[in-house]
Amino acid sequence: LVPAGKKNAPPPIKPDTSKFRSLDPAQVAFFATRGISKETLDRNGVCGADAYFAPLGGMAPAVAFPYKRDGEVVNVKYRSEKKHFTQARGAEKVLYGLDDVVGQADIIIVEGEMDKLALEEAGRRGGEGDERERGGAGWMERRRKHAL
């Protein structure tokens, strides 16, 4: 996929998922305090990993949220314990939970990954993304018929 106005953009880079690991008990407990079950975490592929966080000046343990298209991981967003975020550099920008909403007549757009997971706990599967992942300014207007 080539963003509008970037005809010669290189293809997206596939993120490295080889160092993904199981969430540690403290990470699972953190999600539980927000009403998010281990089953929901597992279904969404949420896992542990180490990632580089510029504000921390190095690598740190993180929760990894894999962004998937057709079951394949095309991007990863990392969240540190101190609530710093980073994404796989050069990877494809897609909605978190994209595979859950493909072909749906109506979708719910929420602010972040945690909201998407909480929405699933409430019985709905939706997608998430910020303006960059959703296609820039005007995204919602172009897709209003699909938003609740």
Side-chain angles (χ1 to χ4, degrees), residues 2 7 10-11 22 28 36 44 46-47 56 75 85 98 109 125:
V2 178
K7 295 178 183 176
S22 297
V28 174
I36 299 169
N44 285 277
V46 179
C47 57
L56 301 176
N75 203 338
F85 297 92
L98 175 65
I109 303 294
R125 293 187 183 165

Side-chain angles (χ1 to χ4, degrees), residues 63-80:
V63 171
F65 296 93
Y67 283 58
K68 298 177 184 179
R69 176 191 292 281
D70 299 325
E72 178 184 1
V73 177
V74 297
N75 203 338
V76 181
K77 189 173 190 180
Y78 301 94
R79 181 190 196 273
S80 76

Side-chain angles (χ1 to χ4, degrees), residues 72-107:
E72 178 184 1
V73 177
V74 297
N75 203 338
V76 181
K77 189 173 190 180
Y78 301 94
R79 181 190 196 273
S80 76
E81 183 179 314
K82 304 226 183 263
K83 205 174 177 185
H84 294 290
F85 297 92
T86 190
Q87 279 193 339
R89 179 178 230 118
E92 183 179 354
K93 303 289 186 188
V94 298
L95 289 173
Y96 182 66
L98 175 65
D99 286 354
D100 289 338
V101 300
V102 169
Q104 298 297 314
D106 296 310
I107 64 172

